[in-house]
Amino acid sequence: MIWCMVTVDGTDFRIAEPTPFSKQWKSPKGKGAAVKYEVAISIYSGDIVWVYGPHEGSKHDYKILKEKLMKMLDKDEMVEADAG
């Protein structure tokens, strides 16, 4: 049986717009510049078990997930995530 131990999502934090402004900092979730962190929470305890970032606000959640956390999991481990 394969178990899902954590749920993961990206969260955006607004920042002052850099000068000159670059689109890489624009958050698709908000209306301005942001940095993004990936956060994983244990389904069983509710504890935060993973924080990865900061990343540019425009970086897609799935790309961040594949970059680090997915590489650390065993092949039979799963995470729960939304579509991004």
Side-chain angles (χ1 to χ4, degrees), residues 9-13 29 35-39 61:
D9 200 4
T11 185
D12 294 6
F13 294 89
K29 295 180 182 178
V35 292
K36 183 178 286 190
Y37 288 86
E38 177 181 67
V39 179
D61 291 356

Side-chain angles (χ1 to χ4, degrees), residues 3-61:
W3 293 95
C4 179
M5 305 296 282
V6 299
T7 183
V8 64
D9 200 4
T11 185
D12 294 6
F13 294 89
R14 294 215 39 195
I15 60 171
E17 290 191 1
T19 305
F21 184 74
S22 172
K23 290 182 181 180
Q24 72 184 20
W25 298 107
K26 179 142 175 58
S27 168
K29 295 180 182 178
K31 296 186 184 212
V35 292
K36 183 178 286 190
Y37 288 86
E38 177 181 67
V39 179
I41 299 173
S42 168
I43 292 172
Y44 300 106
S45 69
D47 294 334
I48 295 173
V49 296
W50 173 261
V51 177
Y52 180 51
H55 301 276
E56 297 93 359
S58 63
K59 196 169 192 180
H60 195 277
D61 291 356

Side-chain angles (χ1 to χ4, degrees), residues 44-77:
Y44 300 106
S45 69
D47 294 334
I48 295 173
V49 296
W50 173 261
V51 177
Y52 180 51
H55 301 276
E56 297 93 359
S58 63
K59 196 169 192 180
H60 195 277
D61 291 356
Y62 187 65
K63 188 172 186 177
I64 296 170
L65 178 65
K66 290 192 321 182
E67 189 174 288
K68 189 80 165 177
L69 184 58
M70 290 300 290
K71 292 178 181 179
M72 296 173 58
L73 299 175
D74 291 333
K75 69 177 184 174
D76 62 339
E77 290 181 294

